[in-house]
Amino acid sequence: MTDGEYDDARVLDDPVGESLRGHHSDLGRRRGRAAAYLPEVATFSAVPADADAADWADLARLLGRDAFADMFSCAAVPPPDWEPVFVLEGRQMVRPAGARPGAARLATGAEVVELGAADVPEMLDLTARTQPGPFWPRTRELGTYLGIRAGGRLVAMAGERLRPPGWTELSAVCTAPEARGRGYAAHLVGALVTRVLARHERPFLHVAEKNTAAIALYERLGFTTRKQVTFRGFRTP
């Protein structure tokens, strides 16, 4: 896919900053050109691609001393006194117009539910066991989260995270180890894609390069790679 297929695909080059300046402005905080989500929502932070020393100083003041700054896929490099915490290679995938993945059928006895505040303890437990990416007590406020219950237990979930203009990121796609192989992830991603398209937005997602099984799943569901990205985290001075 090329950016020409989507006139506004370039907002995906700064998905955190674009979300915090727009749809998620009420879930974040700003200082100058630096921005970050509220701590219990997400640890993602953003500065412009051409960030200077003043921008990094603003972000440091915003987060506080010795604080974790998850810079997501930000291309800007912080000053040398910012301690590196992690580097992870990944890719950004989008679903081109016209992609039609086959519908995944649910196993008998499984039920799709929309998850709310009362489900947060189970959501936190599931993400802690499956490690789909960072998930905090208020992460569900970023968008719609769907789950699958089997025998009354939450065994799979997926939801909406970043919201740059015209786009919705799908995230937290996970299935409990004992419930894998039943097509739950494919079903939830398909259901979320339908919701995103109904809003006249387009779905995208991020995945670690080493997670080859997830990449294969998303490709079967019609997603293609837009670009390679590097995720980085730092600790403020």
Side-chain angles (χ1 to χ4, degrees):
M1 192 208 83
T2 63
D3 283 354
E5 294 182 45
Y6 291 135
D7 292 338
D8 59 352
R10 286 178 178 80
V11 300
L12 301 184
D13 292 337
D14 181 21
V16 173
E18 293 285 356
S19 299
L20 285 167
R21 286 188 291 271
H23 193 84
H24 288 157
S25 60
D26 61 331
L27 295 175
R29 47 205 167 131
R30 302 188 62 82
R31 185 183 178 99
R33 299 200 300 168
Y37 279 96
L38 299 173
E40 290 199 332
V41 175
T43 54
F44 302 141
S45 302
V47 293
D50 62 347
D52 56 23
D55 296 319
W56 289 108
D58 281 341
L59 183 58
R61 294 188 186 97
L62 193 66
L63 299 177
R65 297 181 60 182
D66 195 33
F68 177 56
D70 188 333
M71 300 308 300
F72 205 71
S73 57
C74 179
V77 179
D81 56 347
W82 288 56
E83 177 189 353
V85 176
F86 77 88
V87 177
L88 177 66
E89 299 302 324
R91 63 175 69 185
Q92 184 184 83
M93 304 183 75
V94 299
R95 188 177 180 277
R100 298 180 182 277
R105 299 180 61 184
L106 278 182
T108 302
E111 175 191 15
V112 177
V113 295
E114 187 166 329
L115 301 172
D119 302 298
V120 168
E122 283 185 282
M123 297 168 79
L124 290 170
D125 175 71
L126 182 59
T127 53
R129 289 193 292 136
T130 56
Q131 298 294 313
F135 195 90
W136 306 101
R138 294 181 58 191
T139 298
R140 57 161 288 277
E141 296 178 29
L142 294 171
T144 298
Y145 281 80
L146 301 178
I148 292 178
R149 292 191 176 280
R153 295 178 56 249
L154 183 65
V155 295
M157 63 175 261
E160 301 171 351
R161 191 169 64 177
L162 301 178
R163 293 284 299 276
W167 298 81
T168 296
E169 182 198 27
L170 307 188
S171 182
V173 182
C174 58
T175 304
E178 67 273 14
R180 290 173 182 165
R182 304 176 190 176
Y184 289 165
H187 187 90
L188 290 172
V189 170
L192 288 169
V193 165
T194 297
R195 289 180 177 230
V196 172
L197 295 177
R199 296 198 300 261
H200 304 290
E201 295 181 349
R202 282 148 289 187
F204 75 111
L205 52 84
H206 293 89
V207 60
E209 196 64 36
K210 63 184 180 182
N211 196 346
T212 55
I215 292 171
L217 168 65
Y218 298 140
E219 289 177 339
R220 290 198 301 272
L221 294 174
F223 286 82
T224 61
T225 298
R226 175 176 178 257
K227 68 173 186 176
Q228 308 301 127
V229 296
T230 301
F231 304 107
R232 294 184 176 91
F234 299 90
R235 192 161 296 282
T236 62

